[in-house]
Amino acid sequence: MLYLCATPIGNLDDITVRVLNTLKSVDLIAAEDTRHSIKLLNHFEIKTPMTSYHEYNKVEKARQLVELMQQGKEIALVTDAGTPGISDPGEELVRQCYEAGVPVTALPGAAACITALIQSGLSTRRFCFEAFLPADKKERARVLEELVTETRTIVIYEAPHHLVKTLTELKEVLGGERRINLCRELTKHYEEKWLTTIDEALEGLCQNGPRGEYVLVIEGRSAASLKQEQIDSFAELSLEEHMERYLSQGIERKEAMKKVAKDRGVSKRDIYQALLK
């Protein structure tokens, strides 16, 4: 079996008893960075052998690990911090386990995205997780463009040396008045949360400089403002032109009036009366 073991994102006391027992009992621990994970194992006096499993060997190494589990070995997967499989190579190993019929189970624990979200002061009912924005310019631009109409709360990871650049890009697409909570060094001694606007965040960071790993929790777009923008976009069309757009598609006149009314945020009766005039 493969055990996905969540490890602390800062405070070592956040590890669960179940994870500790599992790390001690499995045959092998696959770690994203063995140099990093050895500190955790030493702290809790865990002597289980480790092997490296990271982004650059994930496909071939996953095959090797699956073969070991098919032979009866039990393996625990850990990331540098937090829950494996979220924004790291763990998903490849899980996928190969399912293809090979190897059982997978998860041992829940710390996750930076959830830890930041629940204490952000922003809506938690619906959210989207973008992890680190893509490095590729075209892909990054595409993702940022998608966020323009996102009504859910947005969660993004960012390193300190890229933070100002990322906030500048977010300002360009979302606007400087959008609310944001900059969560820094979560669960650690110097943990900080700063609920502010993108404009104020940029001003403060340019003066003091960012330090530590960040999770950005960004307010989603108001559904009402998005709807109003859609309504306003049709104001440039005359009513007749708007109707013709649907009639030319073979839509019946009554149904076309209903669609035009919805587009413009008015009743079907209003459209009917206006067309009569």
Side-chain angles (χ1 to χ4, degrees), residues 28-34 50-54 57 61 64-65:
L28 183 66
I29 297 172
E32 189 175 8
D33 186 339
T34 55
M50 273 197 302
T51 187
S52 176
Y53 176 77
H54 50 72
N57 71 354
K61 192 59 174 284
Q64 298 172 19
L65 294 174

Side-chain angles (χ1 to χ4, degrees), residues 4-128:
L4 303 172
C5 295
T7 54
I9 59 176
N11 192 321
L12 293 181
D13 289 341
D14 289 336
I15 200 164
T16 68
V17 173
R18 185 181 173 207
V19 166
L20 288 175
N21 290 336
T22 299
L23 293 179
K24 291 175 181 177
S25 66
V26 294
D27 299 293
L28 183 66
I29 297 172
E32 189 175 8
D33 186 339
T34 55
R35 296 166 300 179
H36 180 90
S37 295
I38 193 63
K39 299 174 185 176
L40 178 72
L41 300 192
N42 287 342
H43 181 82
F44 291 106
E45 299 181 349
I46 298 171
K47 307 299 183 182
T48 306
M50 273 197 302
T51 187
S52 176
Y53 176 77
H54 50 72
E55 183 65 29
Y56 302 104
N57 71 354
K58 64 181 181 181
V59 176
E60 181 55 37
K61 192 59 174 284
R63 293 195 190 101
Q64 298 172 19
L65 294 174
V66 167
E67 288 177 4
L68 289 175
M69 286 182 279
Q70 287 176 321
Q71 296 167 15
K73 301 294 183 182
E74 295 201 318
I75 296 176
L77 177 66
V78 297
T79 184
D80 286 351
T83 301
I86 297 179
S87 190
D88 77 11
E91 63 179 289
E92 172 64 25
L93 179 54
V94 172
R95 183 184 65 78
Q96 290 199 30
C97 281
Y98 272 92
E99 290 178 351
V102 173
V104 177
T105 191
L107 284 61
C113 57
I114 299 298
T115 303
L117 175 68
I118 61 176
Q119 59 183 322
S120 67
L122 300 174
S123 175
T124 60
R125 193 179 75 82
R126 299 173 66 243
F127 68 95
C128 67

